[in-house]
Amino acid sequence: MRTVYLDNNATTQPAPEVIEAMLPFFTELWGNPSSMHVFGGQVRRHVELARAQVAALIGADPSEILFTSCGTESDNMAIRGAVEAANAPINVITSRVEHPAVLEPCRMLKEHGVPVIELEVDGKGQIRLDDLRLALSRGRAVVSLMWANNETGVIFPIAEATELVKASGGIMHTDAVQAAGKLPIDVRHLPVDLLSLSGHKLHAPKGIGVLFIRRGTRIRPLLLGGHQESGKRGGTENVPYIVGLGCACKLAARALGDEITRVAALRDRLQAGILAACPDVRVNGDEAHRLPNTLNISFQYIEGESILYHLSDCGIAASSGSACTSGSLEPSHVIRAMGVPFMAAHGSIRFSLSRYNTAADIEYVLENLPPIIKKLRVISPFAAP
Amino acid sequence: MWEYTDKVLDHFRNPRNVGTIKDPDGVGEVGSMACGDALKLGFKLDKQGRIADVKFQTFGCASAIASSSALTEMIKGLTLAEAEKVTNQDIANFLGGLPEQKMHCSVMGREALEVAIANYRTGKTSKKILEGQVVCHCFGVTEDEIVRVVRENRLTTVEQVTNYCKAGGGCGKCRDEIEAIITRIRDEEPAVPVTPQPGPSLTTLQKIRLIEETMEKEIRPALKKDGGDIELIDVVDNRVVVALRGMCANCQVARFTLKDVVEAKLREFVAPNLVVEEAHP
Ligand code: FES
């Protein structure tokens, strides 16, 4: 059976080049980069090369790149580390639609008495800069706003937000896990202090992340117990994965131009095709400010998990913000925060593409999806006969 | 993905009896879009008062569709008195089981059937009416319903109640009240202990019997699988002297078996202060 993978905001296929680059570091180059002998020395060079490759993708200096185990660790370290390093009372500002890797640490800080403000989003999933202004007026803050949303692909006005935060003397963190490799990022022109990346969202394997820490930013380490990463994170470097991530960033930088334009066209074709073939659907999220690879779309009267299972029977992989798929009973917090009506929230499906998708993939989905929607609507008590 | 049985997937992929019935005798509607699943069920009776035809429409996940489809298959040909006896557990069993978190789908089926039968008998509304005190406002679940799923399915935790009827799965404000209901039911009908709870008054004879029984039920089957066996030699106060037989007799691992498994089991089922020793040949 043909398989079409459209769940790239969940995880991506590791690029073959990445895996190839990693392999020697399991077999021959297994030294500890901290060691004072040739085994370590050889390896150290490759770690630093990878650091430079990651830095190049976002316009950073290699010394500002800290390797972590995943995007979640990066987010935790950014927020908790910045709050702990502030030697005066400080507020935290974030948004209602952040990834749990940001929301949970913020809520934990709140329990510890740190004032936390969660910015609301409008029906398109956008924050209002005026809300941020107001929140900043309450005192110095660590602000964590995602660059792009994993569920809807909505892109926040990060440049404007960063400007406001910096003008107020605050610390700006952005979770760029979904943006990296899909949008150009250049921290030379964007004065964020902290920025999180995750390897497996850009065709590196799971288990490697990055926190960009602008030089001069005060941050407390999360993991103590070693001098590695300039004393900011204890633990022997995960060399093979660091090398893999470096390679993935190099490839991502190359794909940023034409490849991403091609992916955007495929996504647009998918959206137009679905809108033409299926009545009673709605696109969720700000279409004018959206990741080029993401389409979040609600099918009225039917439920997301049912759609996913039927798609999966056709070899198509997507995901849903419906309650049933998560094992919780409520639909996704992102969709709910946008005020999407319940019915549409339960029937929301996210398609997320990558540079490995082809036009034939999209046509295959457009062939198979409409009959599924029709079939489920026949079963639904809410659909018009 | 969920671990659905083949039968669940079959009923989901090829649902039986989908649609609406013309001039139905009884109709039941439960759930809502807000809750994420809803079921509408209608039936028609034949001259003998048996369910001649039944059709459903479901908004929900794969297991909600499968549960509805299964229910229609189960009740076709039954009298209403017979159909009434179908429990949510019966629906789940028919499907070869449902993931615990999806048990509420089977409860929804049972509820819709009840509403439809009431609708036939009283001619009153086909919609589910919430009778009594609503405990969970997020999902509109009453105290009576919670009591019922707890009793029928022998539930012991709030989490289970949420899995079975959704109550408690939203804002969580009602969880304390659910906990109180569970405790109340547990106190009403004290759980029959599965194994006797020997007090300090256990006579030596009783103790020996209990040890033998535990060895027979809990220990021997596992040892036999590996070609071994165990024999009770003596009981002196808290010391239980046993001998390993068969494959176990010369086995290095046997000493571990003795300490870890046998002793743990005897302590659990007989008395917490027992010490197991191996008889020296
Ligand atoms: S009232 Fe029960 S979960 Fe909100």
Side-chain angles (χ1 to χ4, degrees):
Chain A
M1 187 176 50
R2 191 190 171 104
T3 55
V4 175
Y5 186 77
L6 297 179
D7 200 11
N8 287 282
N9 287 10
T11 196
T12 57
Q13 179 195 337
E17 298 92 323
V18 167
I19 301 301
E20 204 180 312
M22 290 170 69
L23 288 177
F25 295 87
F26 289 107
T27 50
E28 291 137 44
L29 298 166
W30 42 262
N32 186 330
S34 301
S35 302
M36 291 298 132
H37 45 60
V38 62
F39 290 84
Q42 282 173 332
V43 168
R44 161 74 44 211
R45 273 202 298 282
H46 289 279
V47 168
E48 294 319 319
L49 174 65
R51 205 184 296 281
Q53 287 168 323
V54 174
L57 179 67
I58 62 171
D61 186 88
S63 66
E64 297 173 315
I65 298 298
L66 175 96
F67 290 112
T68 66
S69 65
C70 57
T72 298
E73 184 191 330
S74 303
D75 286 341
N76 268 269
M77 177 168 176
I79 296 164
R80 294 162 66 178
V83 168
E84 281 182 28
N87 33 23
I90 196 156
N91 298 337
V92 170
I93 301 172
T94 184
S95 85
R96 290 267 305 277
V97 297
E98 297 297 314
H99 190 277
V102 166
L103 282 179
E104 296 293 329
C106 288
R107 287 174 189 168
M108 186 211 72
L109 288 168
K110 191 172 185 174
E111 278 169 29
H112 285 79
V114 178
V116 174
I117 302 163
E118 290 180 16
L119 303 179
E120 306 277 340
V121 296
D122 63 16
K124 289 178 164 179
Q126 276 296 2
I127 50 165
R128 298 175 202 86
L129 288 171
D130 277 342
D131 292 350
L132 176 60
R133 251 181 227 115
L134 185 69
L136 287 169
S137 71
R138 299 202 202 157
R140 192 161 177 264
V142 172
V143 179
S144 179
L145 292 171
M146 67 205 316
W147 196 309
N149 188 276
N150 48 317
E151 292 189 31
T152 58
V154 169
I155 300 168
F156 276 169
I158 285 300
E160 292 85 342
T162 305
E163 207 175 298
L164 291 176
V165 174
K166 292 320 293 173
S168 76
I171 297 158
M172 179 69 187
H173 166 246
T174 183
D175 174 350
V177 162
Q178 294 294 344
K182 298 169 194 158
L183 301 173
I185 297 178
D186 191 345
V187 295
R188 281 166 302 194
H189 304 297
L190 180 83
V192 292
D193 301 295
L194 301 156
L195 179 147
S196 308
L197 299 180
S198 166
H200 75 109
K201 309 285 196 208
L202 38 88
H203 304 288
K206 293 148 205 63
I208 184 76
V210 163
L211 182 62
F212 157 79
I213 305 175
R214 188 176 295 279
R215 200 171 300 140
T217 306
R218 290 170 50 86
I219 189 156
R220 266 273 195 78
L222 213 55
L223 299 187
L224 306 173
H227 54 83
Q228 293 89 350
E229 300 294 291
S230 326
K232 293 197 181 83
R233 184 183 189 267
T236 301
E237 296 86 341
N238 185 1
V239 177
Y241 287 72
I242 288 173
V243 170
L245 178 60
C247 176
C249 285
K250 186 181 75 191
L251 298 174
R254 251 188 243 155
L256 264 176
D258 294 352
E259 271 299 277
I260 287 299
T261 317
R262 186 183 68 83
V263 169
L266 291 181
R267 189 274 315 270
D268 292 343
R269 164 77 188 120
L270 179 64
Q271 174 170 329
I274 295 174
L275 290 177
C278 307
D280 298 328
V281 299
R282 56 172 279 166
V283 175
N284 297 314
D286 186 353
E287 288 180 59
H289 304 94
R290 188 168 53 155
L291 287 176
N293 78 319
T294 308
L295 168 62
N296 189 310
I297 190 160
S298 285
F299 298 88
Q300 302 272 16
Y301 320 124
I302 53 179
E303 196 278 331
E305 183 195 302
S306 310
I307 304 172
L308 290 186
Y309 269 83
H310 277 303
L311 284 174
S312 173
D313 282 347
C314 306
I316 301 167
S319 71
S320 167
S322 106
C324 293
T325 48
S326 61
S328 85
L329 292 169
E330 299 208 315
S332 112
H333 70 286
V334 176
I335 302 290
R336 269 183 302 150
M338 290 163 61
V340 173
F342 269 112
M343 171 81 83
H346 284 294
S348 69
I349 298 288
R350 177 188 70 188
F351 297 101
S352 46
L353 289 67
S354 81
R355 60 175 187 265
Y356 292 122
N357 289 119
T358 63
D361 287 346
I362 301 306
E363 295 315 314
Y364 181 75
V365 175
L366 289 175
E367 231 166 78
N368 284 280
L369 178 67
I372 292 173
I373 303 304
K374 226 189 210 152
K375 178 176 171 157
L376 287 169
R377 282 181 177 167
V378 169
I379 305 177
S380 169
F382 299 130
Chain B
M1 291 188 103
W2 297 100
E3 292 212 3
Y4 286 137
T5 64
D6 289 343
K7 200 139 184 209
V8 170
L9 290 174
D10 175 39
H11 275 264
F12 162 64
R13 289 184 182 127
N14 314 296
R16 333 287 203 258
N17 310 308
V18 171
T20 49
I21 288 196
K22 248 196 167 168
D23 306 321
D25 288 318
V27 176
E29 290 171 62
V30 296
S32 74
M33 344 168 168
C35 294
D37 45 22
L39 166 57
K40 186 173 171 187
L41 185 93
F43 64 79
K44 207 159 178 62
L45 299 175
D46 64 12
K47 298 229 167 59
Q48 288 80 45
R50 292 182 177 277
I51 296 174
D53 199 8
V54 48
K55 291 227 184 305
F56 81 91
Q57 287 183 305
T58 293
F59 164 74
C61 55
S63 55
I65 292 172
S67 296
S68 315
S69 166
L71 174 67
T72 59
E73 287 285 279
M74 292 166 72
I75 61 172
K76 245 192 200 167
L78 301 187
T79 64
L80 292 187
E82 289 164 344
E84 241 172 351
K85 295 213 183 76
V86 172
T87 65
N88 71 284
Q89 199 60 54
D90 293 335
I91 300 173
N93 291 345
F94 181 90
L95 289 167
L98 283 172
E100 170 102 359
Q101 285 121 305
K102 295 286 189 175
M103 283 302 286
H104 58 83
C105 297
S106 66
V107 174
M108 180 170 76
R110 191 259 290 146
E111 279 182 347
L113 176 62
E114 280 171 4
V115 175
I117 293 175
N119 167 251
Y120 165 73
R121 288 192 178 139
T122 65
K124 288 210 190 100
T125 172
S126 62
K127 298 244 161 63
K128 188 175 117 183
I129 1 167
L130 296 182
E131 272 170 27
Q133 196 207 333
V134 175
V135 172
C136 179
H137 293 275
C138 288
F139 289 103
V141 190
T142 63
E143 172 159 2
D144 291 355
E145 287 171 68
I146 294 173
V147 167
R148 183 150 172 203
V149 291
V150 169
R151 285 229 171 93
E152 283 184 357
N153 299 284
R154 303 191 148 269
L155 307 184
T156 53
T157 64
V158 178
E159 201 187 331
Q160 284 179 315
V161 170
T162 305
N163 289 336
Y164 276 70
C165 68
K166 297 195 170 187
C171 69
K173 277 196 198 115
C174 60
R175 280 188 201 140
D176 286 347
E177 214 175 316
I178 298 174
E179 180 86 66
I181 294 175
I182 295 172
T183 319
R184 208 183 64 217
I185 294 175
R186 193 174 39 218
D187 292 348
E188 274 167 22
E189 31 186 306
V192 190
V194 190
T195 47
Q197 297 285 304
S201 59
L202 213 61
T203 66
T204 308
L205 196 62
Q206 281 173 327
K207 201 193 269 175
I208 291 175
R209 279 216 193 105
L210 207 49
I211 290 172
E212 293 240 77
E213 201 184 301
T214 307
M215 282 184 17
E216 182 59 41
K217 279 205 209 120
E218 303 289 335
I219 299 165
R220 209 157 269 143
L223 291 179
K224 283 205 165 143
K225 254 190 244 150
D226 295 326
D229 203 349
I230 190 167
E231 197 182 321
L232 180 64
I233 304 289
D234 202 357
V235 178
V236 190
D237 293 327
N238 292 329
R239 287 169 45 232
V240 181
V241 185
V242 299
L244 291 169
R245 301 280 184 241
M247 296 288 279
C248 294
N250 304 312
C251 175
Q252 289 297 327
V253 191
R255 199 141 289 112
F256 279 104
T257 312
L258 209 61
K259 262 296 178 220
D260 289 341
V261 183
V262 181
E263 195 169 272
K265 288 284 180 200
L266 292 181
R267 284 180 175 189
E268 183 184 345
F269 291 103
V270 185
N273 56 353
L274 293 180
V275 182
V276 173
E277 289 176 15
E278 198 182 352
H280 295 287

